[in-house]
Amino acid sequence: MTMLTIPKTPRTLPLQRAGEPWTRCNEAPRLTTTVPKEYVHRSSLAEVFLTGCDRIADDTYHLTGQWPRAHTFFTSADGTSHDPVQAGETVRQVGLYLCHAVYGVPLGHNVLLWSLDFDSRLDQLRIGRSPSDLDMFATCTEFAWRGNRFSGFLEVEICRDGEIAATGTARFTCVAPATYRRLRGTRGEIGATCPLDRRPPIAPAAAGRLLPFDVVLADADQPGRWLLSPDLGHPILFEHANDHHPGMVLVEAARQAACGLHRPGAFTPSAMSTEFLHYAELDTPCWIEATALSSTEVEVTGHQEGNTIFRSKVTTTP
């Protein structure tokens, strides 16, 4: 398969005003804009964190991005810092963008996320007087087609003002719509199942959040155990229609469960390592359990219909 090379300058198209000679687009300054939202599987441009990409070497890329100062979800409860989980979402977007824009994966293909890890430096996440401009360096390992499936392993370094703010990895597979339908059966049809009603969420402070709307956990029958119960109308977590709970919802559940094991405000996750094993269905209870491994590490698992859905290790900076 021929790899597409991202141009360093915009396409050149002629421009003309009445009474003026012809000029060309590449004579105009290159201005900042987001990458196409479809490439990162977002419906809203406000949720696109990537702004550009250049190839450095074979399977190595320099990307640019920006985190807004006052994101409605990816901001700390006190409003002073970017949310560490935003680093995970940014790694996810980098992977999707490279698959579609560089390696030729059709936009209609479905992505199976097998793992997502990130490690952030909390001192580099402080919000300044302007949006946080990012330089990202992505290394793509084993990005290749195997039959009608495309898969690979991604490593990303996220830099801000010349300093590393976070690093992350992701492993994934992209499959054609027909393959996805075979994998999912009737549950893969949006609207084919009846989602569970949302239960009252736990206190936002216990989940490390500011608003009840952002809490994805409800109380269960014992300490350290919760029911996954997000608001399916949440504009970030469910930014577009899904036939299952998205991977970032499970990451958020793990983060909130780790916070829930400690008194409010006592645990601020800085790193997470998550393995996704099964789809988390919308119509069946998914139980979230957390166990403290040490004062700085919590293991979180999700269980549904007798299956382990995901495992996550959540770490805080001492």
Side-chain angles (χ1 to χ4, degrees):
M1 178 164 182
T2 302
M3 186 176 75
L4 304 178
T5 301
I6 300 175
K8 294 181 179 295
T9 57
R11 293 178 182 270
T12 56
L13 295 173
L15 291 175
Q16 186 184 36
R17 294 181 180 177
E20 294 183 357
W22 285 103
T23 59
R24 303 187 71 84
C25 284
N26 62 346
E27 295 177 7
R30 185 177 181 181
L31 304 179
T32 300
T33 185
T34 68
V35 302
K37 58 188 176 65
E38 292 82 2
Y39 284 167
V40 296
H41 296 193
R42 284 301 189 185
S43 299
S44 171
L45 286 173
E47 301 310 318
V48 180
F49 301 141
L50 308 185
T51 58
C53 179
D54 289 298
R55 179 176 174 271
I56 299 175
D58 289 346
D59 299 320
T60 306
Y61 301 88
H62 168 234
L63 299 98
T64 54
Q66 188 180 86
W67 288 340
R69 294 179 66 196
H71 194 274
T72 58
F73 186 74
F74 291 121
T75 303
S76 62
D78 62 6
T80 63
S81 297
H82 298 293
D83 187 339
V85 178
Q86 191 168 19
E89 168 60 16
T90 303
V91 170
R92 188 192 75 89
Q93 291 193 15
V94 168
L96 291 171
Y97 178 81
L98 292 175
C99 285
H100 293 308
V102 178
Y103 290 91
V105 176
L107 286 174
H109 276 43
N110 297 87
V111 177
L112 314 180
L113 186 62
W114 301 112
S115 68
L116 179 65
D117 304 343
F118 64 87
D119 188 350
S120 63
R121 300 185 179 181
L122 298 181
D123 61 322
Q124 294 297 323
L125 301 186
R126 300 287 294 181
I127 294 173
R129 293 189 174 184
S130 61
S132 297
D133 291 320
L134 309 173
D135 285 290
M136 293 165 282
F137 300 91
T139 301
C140 305
T141 304
E142 298 179 356
F143 270 43
W145 289 91
R146 294 171 178 82
N148 63 352
R149 298 188 178 205
F150 184 84
S151 61
F153 178 75
L154 174 72
E155 298 176 88
V156 181
E157 186 177 90
I158 302 174
C159 300
R160 178 187 176 198
D161 297 329
E163 300 288 338
I164 296 177
T167 58
T169 67
R171 186 176 296 280
F172 62 88
T173 302
C174 304
V175 299
T179 301
Y180 184 76
R181 287 193 296 270
R182 288 196 299 271
L183 290 171
R184 297 287 290 136
T186 57
R187 275 180 159 169
E189 301 173 9
I190 295 175
T193 59
C194 183
L196 298 176
D197 291 334
R198 190 189 190 204
R199 294 190 186 181
I202 63 175
R209 305 298 312 190
L210 180 62
L211 303 174
F213 183 52
D214 293 333
V215 178
V216 303
L217 303 180
D219 279 321
D221 53 356
Q222 63 188 51
R225 177 178 164 95
W226 300 267
L227 175 68
L228 180 65
S229 189
D231 190 320
L232 301 187
H234 196 285
I236 311 301
L237 295 174
F238 289 88
E239 198 250 8
H240 54 271
N242 286 275
D243 58 53
H244 59 277
H245 290 289
M248 291 308 296
V249 170
L250 304 183
V251 169
E252 181 63 23
R255 181 262 287 280
Q256 293 186 17
C259 292
L261 277 186
H262 300 76
R263 58 182 176 80
F267 192 92
T268 302
S270 58
M272 295 183 67
S273 177
T274 305
E275 179 185 14
F276 304 98
L277 304 172
H278 293 278
Y279 289 100
E281 307 294 352
L282 300 173
D283 60 348
T284 305
C286 182
W287 303 101
I288 309 298
E289 298 179 352
T291 303
L293 301 178
S294 69
S295 60
T296 60
E297 284 190 333
V298 175
E299 182 179 67
V300 181
T301 56
H303 303 276
Q304 188 176 60
E305 296 181 322
N307 296 315
T308 300
I309 303 299
F310 74 94
R311 298 189 187 95
S312 185
K313 183 180 290 185
V314 187
T315 306
T316 185
T317 301

